[in-house]
Amino acid sequence: MSLNRRRFLQHGGALAATLIAGKTAGTDLLPGAALCRAPRLRKAKLLVPAGPPRQQLNALTLARFVDPLPIPEVASPAGKRADPFDVHRQLPYYRMSMREIEQTVHRDVKPTRFWSYGNAVPGPVMETRSGEGLWVDWGNALPTRHFLPIDNNLHGAEADKPEVRTVVHVHGAKAPPVSDGYPDAWYTPGHSRLYHYPNLQDAAMLWYHDHTMGIERLNVYAGLFGPFMVRDAAEDALDLPKGEYEIPLTLFDRSFDREGQLYYPDTGDPEAPWVSEAVGDAILANGKLYPYLDVQPRAYRLRLLNASNGRSFDLTLANGQGFHQIGSDQGLLQAPAPLKNLFLAPAERADLIIDFSQHAGQSIVLKDHRLNDVMQFRVAAGKATQLALPTHLRDIERIAEASAVKTRTMTLNEYADPVSGEITLLLLNGKHWHDPVTEKPELDTVEIWELVNLTEDTHPIHLHLVRFQVLDRRSFSLQEYRSTGKLVYLGQPIPPAVGETGWKDTVQAYQRSVTRIIVRFEGYAGRYLWHCHIMEHAGNDMMRPMEVLPARRKA
Ligand SMILES: [Cu+2]
């Protein structure tokens, strides 16, 4: 099964895949250049489809700050069910139903068709506490026809498969394999799956989203995602802003047509519509374009999630004001980190404290890349309330490198059509999704994973089940690697940014760098996966199974 082969044949029969990094790497960095300081941004590329002209909406022309920021509702349990590990204990039981909805993304845009887990996109917030498990019945009540361009050449999306299939993964959850939402465990409209989440993990903002083999990128683009908050006593003790002063803020980009409908870019070839990236010009905050939020002159806690298919955000406040990052993917940092900007790749989360106490009566715009307006905070006039931010948040035990029983060196690969230069395939360690499992860590052991990124792009790499720590990043000579297969480093290892020094589940693997992470495989044995979280990449074929083996009995 070879998408790239078919595409190559279309372009004159050339069968040799060219490693795109090698082909285009004409500008190797100077030795010692601070490559790792900031990841290169992905080129925003809006492809225009052939066929009947469908006029794209230019989101930049829309009026700013005319709609209030929606705050997603909190999901309510439908009842109780027994804990599978303790039948005397009852756990909350939720019914989440996927269905087609209409949502107005902006005052001046016609209602948009979305697919949602509730009444809106993002879906309702799941709220739970560490150690308090819950059940979710994820029902598929969607139509049987998809409204976004399926590519039957992609593995798992062949023409013999039903168009509409779903399976839900809670990103960052330490969940048993049967509840993890394996991509092949999809089901069709009219069916549901009951998943149990033990939530034996620290307080953190997780998120649920579709993970269906071959069409995850389309299901998520259609709107199938939402926040999942885990709380715990350590977090409670810090007395951080809560209730109306804690705002879940999910950012995602989209393109729209003039009728207000979602526009997903394609190649123009209905037989092979997959594109390697889908970056839209419209940035939605909790499902609105350029919303505003009325705030008090006091500190707020913002729980940020980047739910974009492929866009990274670089967020700043237009008045130059800084903020504190207090948490990342898997919970609180050891100490608050003062920042002027926040770089957030797809699937990453950031827990921020923004203090408006010095800005009573002002309006402050949140910007992306210092250019695009995202949303506006309108600070009320009146007496300010001060927050004494704790200086210590949580103890983060550093995993000692010496405790690792294995180091895996794995490459990140892109392959391009030699004629058009377009990316046709992406792999991890040169292997396809359906190749035999090669990553088989043993439960309760520590491993170091070296991600050798041979491409020109930053890839956010996510491992299911586990949390990990970022060790360092180091740039290397791609030319040398291509000619000799050896890693020749161009500088010293660069430690993780301060916001990456806590527990992570997604790491930005910078271009032409080796990114090292250290992982303790905890929780459950069984079949999981790891993949790039640019959804167009994961779908073709930057995703690999991972088998966590049972712990060996200690002698
Ligand atoms: Cu990628």
Side-chain angles (χ1 to χ4, degrees), residues 171-186:
H171 180 121
K174 192 155 96 177
V178 69
S179 293
D180 193 55
Y182 200 67
D184 291 325
W186 48 263

Side-chain angles (χ1 to χ4, degrees), residues 69-75 96 101 103-105 114-126 205-209 220-229 247-252 254 284-289 291 303-308:
L69 177 80
I71 304 297
E73 61 176 344
V74 175
M96 302 283 276
I101 60 158
Q103 178 161 318
T104 303
V105 297
F114 281 103
W115 288 357
S116 165
Y117 291 98
N119 301 316
V121 174
V125 183
M126 303 292 300
M205 182 191 197
L206 316 180
W207 63 298
Y208 57 91
H209 65 79
V220 171
Y221 200 86
L224 291 176
F225 56 87
F228 189 114
M229 300 288 191
I247 310 290
L249 187 60
T250 300
L251 302 182
F252 54 104
R254 293 291 182 272
L284 294 113
N286 288 353
K288 283 279 182 203
L289 262 163
R303 312 297 302 271
L304 270 164
L305 157 66
N306 181 354
S308 303

Side-chain angles (χ1 to χ4, degrees), residues 42 412 414 426 457-461 532-535 537-538 542:
R42 297 187 57 76
L412 278 49
E414 285 179 359
L426 300 102
D457 292 308
T458 291
H459 299 268
I461 300 294
C532 176
H533 223 289
I534 292 173
M535 301 221 168
H537 294 184
M542 213 171 199

Side-chain angles (χ1 to χ4, degrees), residues 99-104 110-114 119-120 261:
R99 54 175 177 256
E100 188 162 293
I101 60 158
E102 280 201 332
Q103 178 161 318
T104 303
K110 290 177 192 165
T112 307
R113 165 169 56 179
F114 281 103
N119 301 316
Q261 298 311 305

